[in-house]
Amino acid sequence: MISSITDFIAGLPKAELHVHHVGSASPRIVAELAARHPTAGVPADVEKLAEYFTFSDFAHFIQVYLSVVDLIRDADDVRTLTYEVARDMTAQNIRYAELTITPYSSVNRGIPAEAFLEAIEDARLAAESELGIVLRWCFDIPGEAGLPSAEETARIATTLTPEGLISFGLGGPEIGVPRGQFAPYFDQARAIGLHSVPHAGETTGPETIWDSIRLLGAERIGHGTSATRDPELLRYLAEHQIALEVSPTSNLATRAVGSLAEHPLPDLVKAGVLVTINSDDPPMFSTDLNREYGIAADLLGLDEAGIGALAKNAVTASFAPDTVKADVLHEIDTYLADCAH
């Protein structure tokens, strides 16, 4: 018997499409890594991490995020982080996740690319066999590091191509980082069959989303919340079923929206845009995917059936193998039917 919407969401099988590798490190794991690597300047105390993860603006968030990236010093750190993130996801009934990984950040800090990939793949296979969660990778360019990072990310993606890699992205700051300059690297990635999933339109306007579609061949958009400012763009997204990866608490934490009450999620849904709900960098924002579904349910006025439909959006918009999609959709339907009795 489901006693509340919160309990319903907790038990609901889910997929997540926009969640960052390092940004998913729980306070326990961050504290452990900080104790291993004290020179990074990150608190090794779980309680102090909450204060450390309070951001004044998006630039401050990037600064803090990169300090946590600096905690990942060797392949053992990478493997530990990846498997523990999968464990946290499993506890939320996440069955499938596309984890955004920034190999350049770790390779640039001295971890050989081959060792990095071996670590994430080992963790992925172990998580699937031991925890029952299917993971896939999106390798993203850290936009703030410029074209050298794009070149190296594309090289790793196209020449070392790990089995779990399915997509190519672009993260980091949007302001002052034009999307178009990365087109050649997205072309390389798309040429070997990787999907295009850049961040766009969170801290910049609709033009960044248009550039991502026209110049980078975007099949999904990370965030995309400013699309509501352009009716033509909304129509285009809806018509072409280019899904948005929406993360409400993240948008609030980075000051992309002033309050949850002002969040454009309802307007996106009203316009017919395919919307998925995600957690982005959950421990850094004191959230998780279950909480994000609760927020979305409140904003959209959803009942259990509506929440279930929202969960299906993520499966539909994913790049999961067809068998995985079918399995997760069946799990959702079974869960909804059981809850209805």
Side-chain angles (χ1 to χ4, degrees), residues 52-128:
Y52 188 73
F53 289 158
T54 301
F55 314 112
S56 57
D57 54 25
F58 190 82
H60 182 222
F61 163 70
I62 292 293
Q63 179 185 343
V64 171
Y65 185 92
L66 292 177
S67 73
V68 176
V69 170
D70 196 40
L71 296 175
I72 313 302
R73 302 290 180 88
D74 57 36
D76 285 341
D77 292 339
V78 173
R79 205 275 184 191
T80 297
L81 168 67
T82 309
Y83 187 84
E84 292 302 322
V85 166
R87 189 196 302 277
D88 288 346
M89 288 179 168
T90 305
Q92 299 177 69
N93 281 311
I94 296 173
R95 302 291 196 258
Y96 171 83
E98 295 177 10
L99 201 58
T100 297
I101 292 185
T102 312
Y104 176 80
S105 298
S106 293
V107 171
N108 195 45
R109 284 168 169 77
I111 302 176
E114 292 80 1
F116 180 89
L117 299 186
E118 183 179 351
I120 62 170
E121 282 293 295
D122 183 66
R124 178 181 71 83
L125 294 172
E128 187 163 347

Side-chain angles (χ1 to χ4, degrees), residues 15-18 244-248 276-280 289 292:
E16 179 155 32
L17 308 182
H18 188 117
L244 300 187
E245 305 159 356
V246 177
S247 307
T276 68
I277 300 302
N278 308 273
S279 62
D280 201 5
L289 188 58
E292 296 307 290

Side-chain angles (χ1 to χ4, degrees), residues 320-340:
D322 288 343
T323 54
V324 174
K325 283 189 177 186
D327 286 347
V328 180
L329 288 172
H330 177 70
E331 275 200 78
I332 294 171
D333 283 335
T334 301
Y335 182 77
L336 291 171
D338 290 344
C339 291

